[in-house]
Amino acid sequence: MARRTSSSPPHPADFTERIVDIDVEEEMQGAFLEYAYSVIYSRALPDARDGLKPVQRRILFGMSEMGLRPERGHVKSSRVVGEVMGKYHPHGDGSIYDALVRLSQSFTMRLPLVDGHGNFGSLDDGPAAARYTEARLARAAMLMTESLDEETVDFVPNYDDQLMQPGVMPAAFPNLLVNGASGIAVGMATNMAPHNLVEVIGAARHLMANPQCSLDDLMKFVPGPDLPCGGKIVGLEGIRDAYLTGRGSFRTRATTRIEHVTPRKLGIIVTELPYLVGPEKVIEKIKDLVQSKKLQGISDVKDLTDRKHGLHLVIEIKGGFHPQAVLEHLFKMTPMEDNFGINNVALVDGQPRTLGLKDLLRVYVEFRTDVVRRRSAYRLRKREERLHLVEGLLIAILDIDEVIQVIRASDDATIAKARLMDVFDLSDPQATYILDLQLRRLTKFSRVELETEKAELERQIEALRAILGDEKLLLKTVSNELAQVAKAHGTPRRTVLLESAGQPVTSATPLKLTDDPCWVLLSSTGLMARTTNVEALPSTGSRHKHDAVTAAVQTTVRGHVALITSRGRMIRLAALDLPILPPTNGTPSLSGGAPLGAFVDLPKDEQPLTLTSLSPQSPGLALGTAQGVVKRVTTDYPGNKDDWELISLKSGDRVVGAVELRTGNEDLVFITSDAQLLHFPAAGVRPQGRTAGGMAGIKLAVGAHSVFFTAVNPEVDNLVVTSSGSSGALPGTEPGSLKVTPYAEYPAKGRATGGVRCHRFLRGEDTLVLGWVGGSPARAAAANGVALELPEATGKRDGSGLPAATPIGAIVGPLPEPRETLLAPSPDPADLADDGAALLPGPESTPEFPASRG
């Protein structure tokens, strides 16, 4: 065989033993599992025993090793970060400094463990760089690190096996419950709320005394979280769920009061915000809502926060607006009310577990008991060793002259030690200690000190042996130490707990909301309101001072209605959000309503059409589009959405009319731009689901489109109102010719036909600018809401109209008859379920909105 030179290519046989076949799927699974385990165990989740993540534990241990005690001066944070990164946590300075900052923030930690000096950030801004800030351990951190040198916990090697670090801190208080935790691992996360130190220690001591106690017993000590920023927690059911199962949620609210900011102006003063919500975030949200006209009644927001007085936001209220009503909207629409989701996931014996309150306390109590047991055993051993040396030293002092003679007569230390052990019957440690003794200790006073020390050691040894020999005494020792921690570091509760909005925990009778019937109104100028004056509405006309009601829907105070738009969307609206109209001479005035834009944000090319109920007993909706499509929509409205589509529109099409059917036997009516009217029975249109596109309703001529669609009851007197004009004129500028005709003059024709002529154009007119069909009497209103008179009804269905004095903006008929099913008596408040309704005031006490300027 020829010999291969260095420049020749390698032979395949040379690599036979270096090629390893690896299954890619198995390799990726193994690598991902290792990564996930590392993130869960070594980074994201806290240990249930000391409540610390590895980086936090290493920071506290590193600072303790550096001697950064509370009584000493601060050092640069960058020095701490470098020490921790170089010795214990080689994952970059960013993660270490972020953890150090969090340990020092009083608005994040209920009991901060690091005493920071400098700019360590705020709720709205991040901290300064590590080179600009300084840090040292806080007093509470000494409780976490004390007795580390007494073999209370196991030490593990650091990342390069050069140093040792604690696997867990001794933790003289339940840090996980007191300071909470948050972190995201692989496939799991933790989010734990802070609690009050005194309350948590009280519950832990009760659990030690009564291991079989119930959750309700523990909640007498820990009724709920105690957030560093204070505020209010509204509703306690979610908290109990979290304490029972480890998962739950609760709502936090800002602490506010209403007072005069000027002699003539009221304001809302905010002194505490929800957990981790900053004032700049609240101010920015309020400004956005005011500019988009979704929030009314606020004239200005001022941030007067300073270090002396703390958080102080002043929200000035416009004249005529009720501050309490504005405050309710602020809670609903801004971060002044926030939700906190509890997910108590922590490591127990190296495994992630979801823990309730009792489990968290039990894990800590068992751990702390073991710490005290190990500490007692260490102290007992050290004191026994010291007693042994003291006893030997006392023997040497009694015969000090002979001891000196034995030492002087010896050739070296080894011989001297052996002779001392033989002559005085001493042990090796005792003899070694005597040889190392300084001569100044050999005095009568030293003997007295040694005898006193011996007696004290014997007493301590007896006490330590008693603790180790009696489990009850051991638990009592742990309990007493916890009580001392609570006494030295405990602070009063900051967060107020409310059973419901505005109702303290001590309240015996929470306020209920009766679900009275009401009417939701929409005016021609876009104002919305509600009224409980149901007796007056059916008998009154629909024309009011400076406005006309174009839609009126019957519902209840706690119910919902829906707005239908030209894009075929249905948008859910809560009746409780709308302002209440006080009756005026038996007839409500919509001048006290609020603009639709305050509740719904519609694009410029989408117009509101009408209101409808969400009652499942309704026969459904009927829609008509500009391209002549008709559709009956079933009432399978989604309960988990705030808006949804009612029809699949073709390109360029839009909804021109929508109406809620009451019996299903109505006539459906189209009016087109070329003055054609078609009506046909609604029973001839098959109901369809929301995603359907409808069916042919009216046959349109070339260039024509539908201008109006509705449904009318053919058994009552109806009118047809049409107004003609020029297609070249700007909309709303030409008065046109107006005609009113009885509906009975128009014969019915089949669906998808062309209809009959309903208006004759005069010279210069080529289109219908307005069409309307409805009950009698009909009333008109200009674009600004001012009432207009209509001409008398004539019998000429295809006649021309009379010149109008002013362009018409809307035409309305009588309000609909009330439905008996919705006018049932209000339930007794005592029978209402406590499902959150207690958070809202009843209709008699609901603040009224002021008159809107539109």
Side-chain angles (χ1 to χ4, degrees), residues 560 570 572 614 633-646 690:
H560 291 79
M570 178 177 272
R572 188 190 304 271
L614 294 171
V633 187
T634 57
T635 58
D636 56 338
Y637 307 131
N640 58 347
K641 293 184 178 180
D642 289 334
D643 66 273
W644 56 90
E645 291 186 354
L646 293 174
R690 299 191 309 275

PDB file of all heavy atoms in Angstrom, residues 560 570 572 614 633-646 690:
ATOM      1  N   HIS A 560     -77.862  45.229  28.666  1.00  0.00           N
ATOM      2  CA  HIS A 560     -77.072  45.740  27.562  1.00  0.00           C
ATOM      3  C   HIS A 560     -77.975  45.949  26.351  1.00  0.00           C
ATOM      4  O   HIS A 560     -78.998  45.281  26.187  1.00  0.00           O
ATOM      5  CB  HIS A 560     -75.953  44.765  27.178  1.00  0.00           C
ATOM      6  CG  HIS A 560     -74.880  44.642  28.215  1.00  0.00           C
ATOM      7  ND1 HIS A 560     -75.036  43.865  29.350  1.00  0.00           N
ATOM      8  CD2 HIS A 560     -73.641  45.199  28.301  1.00  0.00           C
ATOM      9  CE1 HIS A 560     -73.929  43.951  30.083  1.00  0.00           C
ATOM     10  NE2 HIS A 560     -73.072  44.743  29.474  1.00  0.00           N
ATOM     11  N   MET A 570     -72.456  45.011  15.037  1.00  0.00           N
ATOM     12  CA  MET A 570     -73.265  45.184  16.236  1.00  0.00           C
ATOM     13  C   MET A 570     -72.306  45.380  17.404  1.00  0.00           C
ATOM     14  O   MET A 570     -71.426  44.548  17.635  1.00  0.00           O
ATOM     15  CB  MET A 570     -74.163  43.971  16.459  1.00  0.00           C
ATOM     16  CG  MET A 570     -75.012  44.050  17.722  1.00  0.00           C
ATOM     17  SD  MET A 570     -76.121  42.631  17.910  1.00  0.00           S
ATOM     18  CE  MET A 570     -77.543  43.204  16.992  1.00  0.00           C
ATOM     19  N   ARG A 572     -71.861  46.121  21.495  1.00  0.00           N
ATOM     20  CA  ARG A 572     -72.542  45.997  22.781  1.00  0.00           C
ATOM     21  C   ARG A 572     -72.311  47.254  23.625  1.00  0.00           C
ATOM     22  O   ARG A 572     -71.184  47.753  23.730  1.00  0.00           O
ATOM     23  CB  ARG A 572     -72.047  44.773  23.527  1.00  0.00           C
ATOM     24  CG  ARG A 572     -72.821  44.436  24.793  1.00  0.00           C
ATOM     25  CD  ARG A 572     -72.097  43.357  25.578  1.00  0.00           C
ATOM     26  NE  ARG A 572     -71.854  42.180  24.788  1.00  0.00           N
ATOM     27  CZ  ARG A 572     -72.696  41.152  24.679  1.00  0.00           C
ATOM     28  NH1 ARG A 572     -73.845  41.179  25.332  1.00  0.00           N
ATOM     29  NH2 ARG A 572     -72.403  40.106  23.928  1.00  0.00           N
ATOM     30  N   LEU A 614     -80.746  42.986  22.879  1.00  0.00           N
ATOM     31  CA  LEU A 614     -80.043  41.714  22.723  1.00  0.00           C
ATOM     32  C   LEU A 614     -80.884  40.563  23.248  1.00  0.00           C
ATOM     33  O   LEU A 614     -80.355  39.530  23.662  1.00  0.00           O
ATOM     34  CB  LEU A 614     -78.705  41.765  23.467  1.00  0.00           C
ATOM     35  CG  LEU A 614     -77.684  42.758  22.906  1.00  0.00           C
ATOM     36  CD1 LEU A 614     -76.489  42.873  23.842  1.00  0.00           C
ATOM     37  CD2 LEU A 614     -77.230  42.332  21.528  1.00  0.00           C
ATOM     38  N   VAL A 633     -81.468  38.262  10.554  1.00  0.00           N
ATOM     39  CA  VAL A 633     -80.375  37.725  11.360  1.00  0.00           C
ATOM     40  C   VAL A 633     -80.958  37.028  12.583  1.00  0.00           C
ATOM     41  O   VAL A 633     -81.815  37.581  13.274  1.00  0.00           O
ATOM     42  CB  VAL A 633     -79.419  38.849  11.797  1.00  0.00           C
ATOM     43  CG1 VAL A 633     -78.190  38.253  12.478  1.00  0.00           C
ATOM     44  CG2 VAL A 633     -79.007  39.685  10.605  1.00  0.00           C
ATOM     45  N   THR A 634     -80.481  35.812  12.831  1.00  0.00           N
ATOM     46  CA  THR A 634     -80.910  35.102  14.034  1.00  0.00           C
ATOM     47  C   THR A 634     -80.299  35.755  15.271  1.00  0.00           C
ATOM     48  O   THR A 634     -79.347  36.533  15.190  1.00  0.00           O
ATOM     49  CB  THR A 634     -80.474  33.630  13.958  1.00  0.00           C
ATOM     50  OG1 THR A 634     -79.057  33.580  13.786  1.00  0.00           O
ATOM     51  CG2 THR A 634     -81.146  32.930  12.793  1.00  0.00           C
ATOM     52  N   THR A 635     -80.825  35.423  16.434  1.00  0.00           N
ATOM     53  CA  THR A 635     -80.412  36.091  17.682  1.00  0.00           C
ATOM     54  C   THR A 635     -79.347  35.311  18.442  1.00  0.00           C
ATOM     55  O   THR A 635     -79.249  35.422  19.666  1.00  0.00           O
ATOM     56  CB  THR A 635     -81.639  36.290  18.590  1.00  0.00           C
ATOM     57  OG1 THR A 635     -82.237  35.009  18.850  1.00  0.00           O
ATOM     58  CG2 THR A 635     -82.652  37.208  17.960  1.00  0.00           C
ATOM     59  N   ASP A 636     -78.528  34.543  17.735  1.00  0.00           N
ATOM     60  CA  ASP A 636     -77.459  33.808  18.427  1.00  0.00           C
ATOM     61  C   ASP A 636     -76.248  34.718  18.616  1.00  0.00           C
ATOM     62  O   ASP A 636     -75.167  34.484  18.090  1.00  0.00           O
ATOM     63  CB  ASP A 636     -77.077  32.552  17.641  1.00  0.00           C
ATOM     64  CG  ASP A 636     -76.677  32.869  16.206  1.00  0.00           C
ATOM     65  OD1 ASP A 636     -77.085  33.938  15.710  1.00  0.00           O
ATOM     66  OD2 ASP A 636     -75.964  32.052  15.600  1.00  0.00           O
ATOM     67  N   TYR A 637     -76.458  35.777  19.386  1.00  0.00           N
ATOM     68  CA  TYR A 637     -75.390  36.751  19.603  1.00  0.00           C
ATOM     69  C   TYR A 637     -74.337  36.178  20.541  1.00  0.00           C
ATOM     70  O   TYR A 637     -74.671  35.543  21.548  1.00  0.00           O
ATOM     71  CB  TYR A 637     -75.959  38.044  20.195  1.00  0.00           C
ATOM     72  CG  TYR A 637     -77.095  38.631  19.407  1.00  0.00           C
ATOM     73  CD1 TYR A 637     -78.278  39.024  20.031  1.00  0.00           C
ATOM     74  CD2 TYR A 637     -77.013  38.783  18.027  1.00  0.00           C
ATOM     75  CE1 TYR A 637     -79.327  39.563  19.316  1.00  0.00           C
ATOM     76  CE2 TYR A 637     -78.059  39.322  17.300  1.00  0.00           C
ATOM     77  CZ  TYR A 637     -79.220  39.708  17.944  1.00  0.00           C
ATOM     78  OH  TYR A 637     -80.254  40.238  17.223  1.00  0.00           O
ATOM     79  N   PRO A 638     -73.052  36.396  20.263  1.00  0.00           N
ATOM     80  CA  PRO A 638     -72.010  35.877  21.166  1.00  0.00           C
ATOM     81  C   PRO A 638     -72.003  36.628  22.485  1.00  0.00           C
ATOM     82  O   PRO A 638     -72.094  37.857  22.524  1.00  0.00           O
ATOM     83  CB  PRO A 638     -70.710  36.118  20.377  1.00  0.00           C
ATOM     84  CG  PRO A 638     -71.038  37.242  19.455  1.00  0.00           C
ATOM     85  CD  PRO A 638     -72.496  37.100  19.111  1.00  0.00           C
ATOM     86  N   GLY A 639     -71.889  35.884  23.578  1.00  0.00           N
ATOM     87  CA  GLY A 639     -71.901  36.519  24.891  1.00  0.00           C
ATOM     88  C   GLY A 639     -70.546  36.958  25.370  1.00  0.00           C
ATOM     89  O   GLY A 639     -70.437  37.660  26.377  1.00  0.00           O
ATOM     90  N   ASN A 640     -69.471  36.560  24.661  1.00  0.00           N
ATOM     91  CA  ASN A 640     -68.117  36.884  25.114  1.00  0.00           C
ATOM     92  C   ASN A 640     -67.444  37.940  24.255  1.00  0.00           C
ATOM     93  O   ASN A 640     -66.233  38.102  24.317  1.00  0.00           O
ATOM     94  CB  ASN A 640     -67.259  35.617  25.128  1.00  0.00           C
ATOM     95  CG  ASN A 640     -67.198  34.950  23.763  1.00  0.00           C
ATOM     96  OD1 ASN A 640     -67.974  35.272  22.868  1.00  0.00           O
ATOM     97  ND2 ASN A 640     -66.280  34.006  23.611  1.00  0.00           N
ATOM     98  N   LYS A 641     -68.199  38.648  23.427  1.00  0.00           N
ATOM     99  CA  LYS A 641     -67.628  39.678  22.576  1.00  0.00           C
ATOM    100  C   LYS A 641     -68.347  40.999  22.799  1.00  0.00           C
ATOM    101  O   LYS A 641     -69.513  41.033  23.189  1.00  0.00           O
ATOM    102  CB  LYS A 641     -67.741  39.282  21.097  1.00  0.00           C
ATOM    103  CG  LYS A 641     -66.885  38.079  20.697  1.00  0.00           C
ATOM    104  CD  LYS A 641     -66.997  37.825  19.196  1.00  0.00           C
ATOM    105  CE  LYS A 641     -66.124  36.660  18.770  1.00  0.00           C
ATOM    106  NZ  LYS A 641     -66.232  36.414  17.319  1.00  0.00           N
ATOM    107  N   ASP A 642     -67.641  42.085  22.506  1.00  0.00           N
ATOM    108  CA  ASP A 642     -68.232  43.415  22.604  1.00  0.00           C
ATOM    109  C   ASP A 642     -68.706  43.935  21.258  1.00  0.00           C
ATOM    110  O   ASP A 642     -69.479  44.883  21.196  1.00  0.00           O
ATOM    111  CB  ASP A 642     -67.213  44.398  23.202  1.00  0.00           C
ATOM    112  CG  ASP A 642     -66.972  44.133  24.679  1.00  0.00           C
ATOM    113  OD1 ASP A 642     -67.882  43.588  25.328  1.00  0.00           O
ATOM    114  OD2 ASP A 642     -65.881  44.456  25.166  1.00  0.00           O
ATOM    115  N   ASP A 643     -68.223  43.384  20.151  1.00  0.00           N
ATOM    116  CA  ASP A 643     -68.737  43.757  18.832  1.00  0.00           C
ATOM    117  C   ASP A 643     -68.529  42.589  17.884  1.00  0.00           C
ATOM    118  O   ASP A 643     -67.596  41.793  18.032  1.00  0.00           O
ATOM    119  CB  ASP A 643     -68.029  45.022  18.314  1.00  0.00           C
ATOM    120  CG  ASP A 643     -66.571  44.805  18.038  1.00  0.00           C
ATOM    121  OD1 ASP A 643     -65.759  44.958  18.973  1.00  0.00           O
ATOM    122  OD2 ASP A 643     -66.228  44.471  16.895  1.00  0.00           O
ATOM    123  N   TRP A 644     -69.413  42.484  16.893  1.00  0.00           N
ATOM    124  CA  TRP A 644     -69.344  41.394  15.929  1.00  0.00           C
ATOM    125  C   TRP A 644     -70.090  41.810  14.657  1.00  0.00           C
ATOM    126  O   TRP A 644     -70.857  42.779  14.649  1.00  0.00           O
ATOM    127  CB  TRP A 644     -69.934  40.109  16.507  1.00  0.00           C
ATOM    128  CG  TRP A 644     -71.342  40.253  16.999  1.00  0.00           C
ATOM    129  CD1 TRP A 644     -72.486  40.067  16.308  1.00  0.00           C
ATOM    130  CD2 TRP A 644     -71.754  40.663  18.321  1.00  0.00           C
ATOM    131  NE1 TRP A 644     -73.581  40.321  17.079  1.00  0.00           N
ATOM    132  CE2 TRP A 644     -73.167  40.678  18.323  1.00  0.00           C
ATOM    133  CE3 TRP A 644     -71.062  40.997  19.473  1.00  0.00           C
ATOM    134  CZ2 TRP A 644     -73.890  41.034  19.443  1.00  0.00           C
ATOM    135  CZ3 TRP A 644     -71.792  41.341  20.590  1.00  0.00           C
ATOM    136  CH2 TRP A 644     -73.191  41.356  20.581  1.00  0.00           C
ATOM    137  N   GLU A 645     -69.865  41.086  13.572  1.00  0.00           N
ATOM    138  CA  GLU A 645     -70.496  41.378  12.288  1.00  0.00           C
ATOM    139  C   GLU A 645     -71.842  40.674  12.196  1.00  0.00           C
ATOM    140  O   GLU A 645     -72.014  39.553  12.664  1.00  0.00           O
ATOM    141  CB  GLU A 645     -69.603  40.941  11.134  1.00  0.00           C
ATOM    142  CG  GLU A 645     -68.340  41.768  10.978  1.00  0.00           C
ATOM    143  CD  GLU A 645     -67.572  41.390   9.729  1.00  0.00           C
ATOM    144  OE1 GLU A 645     -67.972  40.410   9.071  1.00  0.00           O
ATOM    145  OE2 GLU A 645     -66.578  42.068   9.415  1.00  0.00           O
ATOM    146  N   LEU A 646     -72.795  41.379  11.552  1.00  0.00           N
ATOM    147  CA  LEU A 646     -74.133  40.821  11.345  1.00  0.00           C
ATOM    148  C   LEU A 646     -74.349  40.336   9.925  1.00  0.00           C
ATOM    149  O   LEU A 646     -75.290  39.581   9.668  1.00  0.00           O
ATOM    150  CB  LEU A 646     -75.197  41.879  11.668  1.00  0.00           C
ATOM    151  CG  LEU A 646     -75.309  42.308  13.129  1.00  0.00           C
ATOM    152  CD1 LEU A 646     -76.289  43.460  13.262  1.00  0.00           C
ATOM    153  CD2 LEU A 646     -75.743  41.145  14.003  1.00  0.00           C
ATOM    154  N   ARG A 690     -74.993  34.877  11.451  1.00  0.00           N
ATOM    155  CA  ARG A 690     -74.308  36.167  11.349  1.00  0.00           C
ATOM    156  C   ARG A 690     -73.344  36.247  10.176  1.00  0.00           C
ATOM    157  O   ARG A 690     -73.100  37.320   9.644  1.00  0.00           O
ATOM    158  CB  ARG A 690     -73.555  36.446  12.649  1.00  0.00           C
ATOM    159  CG  ARG A 690     -74.426  36.531  13.870  1.00  0.00           C
ATOM    160  CD  ARG A 690     -73.647  37.072  15.053  1.00  0.00           C
ATOM    161  NE  ARG A 690     -72.401  36.383  15.269  1.00  0.00           N
ATOM    162  CZ  ARG A 690     -72.280  35.264  15.973  1.00  0.00           C
ATOM    163  NH1 ARG A 690     -73.366  34.726  16.532  1.00  0.00           N
ATOM    164  NH2 ARG A 690     -71.105  34.695  16.145  1.00  0.00           N
TER     165      ARG A 690
END
